[in-house]
Every structure is written in C-alpha cells, then in structure tokens.
Amino acid sequence: MAIILGIESSCDDTSAAIIRDGVICSNVVANQTVHEQYGGVVPELASRAHQQNIIPVVHQALKKANIAKEDLSAIAFTRGPGLLGSLLVGTSFAKGFSTALDIPLIDVNHLQAHVLAHFIKEDSDDVSQPKFPFICLLVSGGNSQIIYVESFNKMKIIGQTIDDAAGEAFDKCAKVMGLPYPGGPYVDKLAKLGDKDKFQFNKPRIADYDYSFSGLKTSFLYFLRDELKNDADFIEKNKEDLSASLQKTIIDILMDKLRKAAIDYDINEIAVAGGVSANSGLRESFLNHAQKYGWNIHIPKFEYTTDNAAMVAIAGYHKFLENDFCDKSVVPYARATI
Ligand code: KG4
C-alpha cells in the first residue's frame, strides 16, 4: 500500500492532500483572501500566508483522511513553476517533514500535476481516467497550453500562448469592466444572462497550435473606451452581453486550436485542466464537441481544476511507483516547462 502526502504552495493557495493507492482520502485548501484588495497576487504576502497556513493545512489533511503521519509512504511537493517565495515554503516543509519521518521525497512539476489530476480516483472502482495517449488543454491564470500526453511521465507541449494566458484574458477584461479580481468567474456568471453574438472581437492569427490573447484584451479595451465616449453607462447597460461575447471569443480561440490538434494527431481522447476549465461555456463547448466529433472528454471535478494538493499527490503517487524520488538538496524553480 502507498500513502502519499501532497503539498501545493506555488501561488496563493496552501493545500495538502492524502492519496492512498491512487484514491483520494482528503484534499484541504486554504485560500488567501488578502490579495483581493490589491487586484492580483502579492508575492510577499502569499509567502507569509503560506508560512502561517502550511502546518494547520497538513494537520487537517491527515486528520480528515484518518491517517497518522507515521503511516505515510512518501511526501510529494510542487517544485515549480510558480512564485519562488511561495514554493520555498512548501519545499522546505516537505524536506523537513520527510527527513523527520525518514521517508522518500518526490518533486512534482505543477503543470504535469494539473494534467494528472484526471487520474485521481474517487474510490477504488473509479475507472473514468483518460487512456494514453490523450490531448489535454491546460488553461489557467498563468497557462494556456495544448499538451500531448503519452504516459504519466512523458508529455510534450504542442501549443502554447505567446503572450497572455486565457485566464489572464478573462481577468484583465473583467477588470476593465470594473469586476472584482479574479474576474473569470464573474464573467462566466454574467455571460449566462447575455447575448454571445451581440459584439464581435478580433481573433488572432497565430501559426500551428499556439495561442495569443493580448490582442483581444487590447481590442476589448479600445472598444469600451470608444463606446464610453458616447455613453458613460455603456458597460453597466451591456455587461451581460459584453461578458457573453468576450467569453464566446475566448472559447472559440481555445477550441479552434484544440480541434486542429485532435484532427492532426488523430486523437479523440481529450481532457481539460486548470482553473479556466471551471468555465460553464467551455464545459458546454466540450460537451458539444464530444457529440459532434466523437471525442471522449475528461473534465475534472471543480476542486481539482484550481490549484490543489490532490493533483500533486497523484502525480507523486505515480512517481512513487517508479521509485522516482528526489534528493533532500532539491531546490524549487520559478520557471519551468513540462
Ligand atoms: O488554475 P488556477 O486556479 O490558478 C492560476 O493559474 O492562477 O486558475 C485561476 C484562473 C483565473 O484567471 C480565474 O479567473 C480563472 O482561472 N477562472 C475562470 C473561472 N473560474 C476560474 N475563468 C473563467 N470562468 C470561470 N468560471
């Protein structure tokens, strides 16, 4: 039996989770509300909050799973990419705890963990996991990538954003409309009440499977600036239609490239991961594609889409099975690819 403690501290969520033989036992996340007033994550405050949260969060994860720390087989932690100060808290804790318990330490790439979240089992009979090879669209506040996944430890990025991530496009446009941070969920909510064909925004022309979202942000900003000259209440009067049209544009951009990749690679096993996969319009588009193109789609449970330690623990579990451990001298990395 393998019992893995996962630790995630790459950005502004402190999380700890327990996975036993691939099955989730607990997943505790402490969100940091301190950043809301600044309209974005403040790295120094994030590190300090991780420092305060890490021990109570790990304690709670063990308690919820009804596991004693002596029962742990290994500790997996997010090594990067992320904010260095935040990563240092999780990394240092994992090193110290694994040394004290004299159990192996496993470093996990945060991006790979998002992809491998699809392998978290709710119970031992759960067989809903994607089959290799599959394609995963990873869309979050920091990433927009199309990933070709061959196995648990072999994946390659076949397309990615050349500027902003999809989540950033949601958040920055939401900010222009005066919505709170992060704006993605607010746009999603308003979009349900709006006409998605009311306004048209330009889509980028980028080669292959790559994305670009900075042009959309600029055209949205200029469009509103011009309309506000004629009507100071333009945003207030149109926020539902603006949200619906913006959301449709972002989803179209994402799905056009994903469809192209699925056709070119001749794969119909398609997954989505990352915070933006919570978006109801994107989920609907996945369902439509499943019907129209015969895709087997994999959409994670909401709690496994945003940053969480369950995905770190499952990634760690599959490295554990391969005896793929790291040295105690390991250091975190702020930047990394898959
Ligand atoms: O994966 P994640 O939790 O962490 C980061 O990489 O930062 O993703 C957060 C991103 C934010 O940009 C947020 O606005 C976006 O995911 N997001 C959404 C929705 N829920 C979260 N975007 C659109 N619609 C949503 N429902």
Side-chain angles (χ1 to χ4, degrees), residues 7 9 22 46 60 95 108 112 141 148 164 172 186 198 203 221 234-236 255 257 270 290 309 320 329 331:
I7 292 175
S9 72
Q60 225 184 319
K95 282 194 209 183
V108 169
Q112 289 194 357
Y148 180 80
D164 290 349
K172 287 179 178 171
Y186 294 93
K198 178 84 179 277
K203 290 186 200 158
L221 181 70
F234 181 80
I235 295 179
E236 193 46 42
M255 296 309 282
K257 291 296 177 93
I270 312 287
F320 181 85
S329 62
V331 289

Side-chain angles (χ1 to χ4, degrees), residues 175-214:
K175 194 172 177 187
V176 178
M177 288 195 285
L179 299 173
Y181 176 86
Y186 294 93
V187 172
D188 191 0
K189 211 167 159 193
L190 288 166
K192 289 186 184 133
L193 309 169
D195 173 3
K196 62 183 187 313
D197 298 313
K198 178 84 179 277
F199 304 110
Q200 257 77 48
F201 302 108
N202 289 342
K203 290 186 200 158
R205 284 195 204 154
I206 304 284
D208 302 324
Y209 313 112
D210 285 340
Y211 291 119
S212 167
F213 288 101
S214 68

Side-chain angles (χ1 to χ4, degrees), residues 13 15 99 102 155 233 248 252 260 287 291:
D13 295 310
S15 181
T99 304
D102 195 21
M155 17 187 128
D233 294 328
K248 177 186 186 296
D252 283 352
K260 180 173 159 53
L287 291 169
Q291 270 194 342

Side-chain angles (χ1 to χ4, degrees), residues 45-282:
L45 296 180
S47 318
R48 291 180 196 205
H50 282 305
Q51 199 71 266
Q52 282 180 334
N53 293 341
I54 188 94
I55 289 176
V57 161
V58 170
H59 183 71
Q60 225 184 319
L62 286 164
K63 200 169 157 203
K64 266 186 140 175
N66 202 15
I67 300 274
K69 57 184 187 302
E70 293 77 17
D71 297 333
L72 293 173
S73 313
I75 298 179
F77 69 98
T78 302
R79 186 175 173 192
L83 300 171
L84 199 67
S86 292
L87 289 164
L88 271 168
V89 178
T91 306
S92 306
F93 180 86
K95 282 194 209 183
F97 206 27
S98 73
T99 304
L101 295 171
D102 195 21
I103 54 175
L105 184 63
I106 303 171
D107 61 323
V108 169
N109 177 304
H110 183 77
L111 305 177
Q112 289 194 357
H114 268 301
V115 174
L116 297 178
H118 289 281
F119 293 90
I120 300 166
K121 292 184 176 183
E122 290 304 313
D123 53 57
S124 49
D125 299 328
D126 184 351
V127 286
S128 59
Q129 295 80 35
K131 294 181 184 49
F132 296 116
F134 67 94
I135 286 179
C136 184
L137 174 70
L138 174 55
V139 270
S140 68
N143 301 283
S144 297
Q145 292 160 336
I146 299 179
I147 301 164
Y148 180 80
V149 190
E150 267 182 72
S151 65
F152 289 112
N153 58 12
K154 201 164 176 210
M155 17 187 128
K156 93 174 166 217
I157 295 171
I158 56 173
Q160 61 187 323
T161 180
I162 59 164
D163 41 54
D164 290 349
E168 261 177 297
F170 270 110
D171 296 343
K172 287 179 178 171
C173 293
K175 194 172 177 187
V176 178
M177 288 195 285
L179 299 173
Y181 176 86
Y186 294 93
V187 172
D188 191 0
K189 211 167 159 193
L190 288 166
K192 289 186 184 133
L193 309 169
D195 173 3
K196 62 183 187 313
D197 298 313
K198 178 84 179 277
F199 304 110
Q200 257 77 48
F201 302 108
N202 289 342
K203 290 186 200 158
R205 284 195 204 154
I206 304 284
D208 302 324
Y209 313 112
D210 285 340
Y211 291 119
S212 167
F213 288 101
S214 68
L216 171 63
K217 177 192 65 190
T218 313
S219 79
F220 191 76
L221 181 70
Y222 288 172
F223 172 74
L224 288 185
R225 189 192 58 186
D226 293 345
E227 293 295 335
L228 286 169
K229 278 184 199 152
N230 303 325
D231 179 359
D233 294 328
F234 181 80
I235 295 179
E236 193 46 42
K237 285 181 193 159
N238 294 283
K239 59 180 190 295
E240 289 91 356
D241 293 340
L242 282 167
S243 297
S245 303
L246 171 70
Q247 180 165 300
K248 177 186 186 296
T249 311
I250 295 174
I251 293 170
D252 283 352
I253 295 171
L254 290 172
M255 296 309 282
D256 285 353
K257 291 296 177 93
L258 185 60
R259 215 167 38 242
K260 180 173 159 53
I263 293 168
D264 293 353
Y265 280 77
D266 192 21
I267 282 186
N268 67 353
E269 198 77 11
I270 312 287
V272 61
V276 180
S277 61
N279 184 268
S280 58
L282 185 62

